[in-house]
Amino acid sequence: QEAARQAAAAWQNNRPRSSPTGYEFRKGHKTQFPDCTAQPGENDEAAAFRVAGERRAAGVESFKEGTVWGAQMAVDAWGQGLLALERLKNLRKYR
């Protein structure tokens, strides 16, 4: 029981946190929410999926630089892609 309570408290203190300006995947660093505005002829679901793919591709390109800064940029881009996929999941869940 005590171990379960300690594990829950540790997770609560270290879990990713949302805020109006972004999401905290790494402690002390906010990842901005991606802009998932739909283009003409595109619905919200397709826009979220498109943005997730774009953020993934941007992360791969940043990571190819082979620098620490490039890796950090890749993590930020991939984090935005995950947020776009989370938006897609929520759009489908609450139709």
Side-chain angles (χ1 to χ4, degrees), residues 3-85:
R5 266 188 260 134
Q6 288 177 349
W11 184 85
Q12 194 73 342
N13 291 336
N14 295 319
R15 67 185 171 87
R17 301 187 194 294
S18 177
S19 75
T21 58
Y23 212 82
E24 190 172 280
F25 289 104
R26 294 182 284 148
K27 195 164 191 86
H29 179 78
K30 300 278 185 185
T31 298
Q32 298 296 315
F33 289 107
D35 180 21
C36 293
T37 53
Q39 294 179 348
E42 186 178 56
N43 64 16
D44 287 341
E45 289 181 8
F49 189 74
R50 174 185 48 80
V51 169
E54 289 172 356
R55 300 305 336 156
R56 179 191 174 279
V60 169
E61 288 302 312
S62 294
F63 195 75
K64 285 181 182 177
E65 291 179 13
T67 63
V68 172
W69 183 77
Q72 289 173 338
M73 295 297 293
V75 168
D76 290 341
W78 291 330
Q80 285 184 331
L82 289 173
L83 291 173
L85 290 175

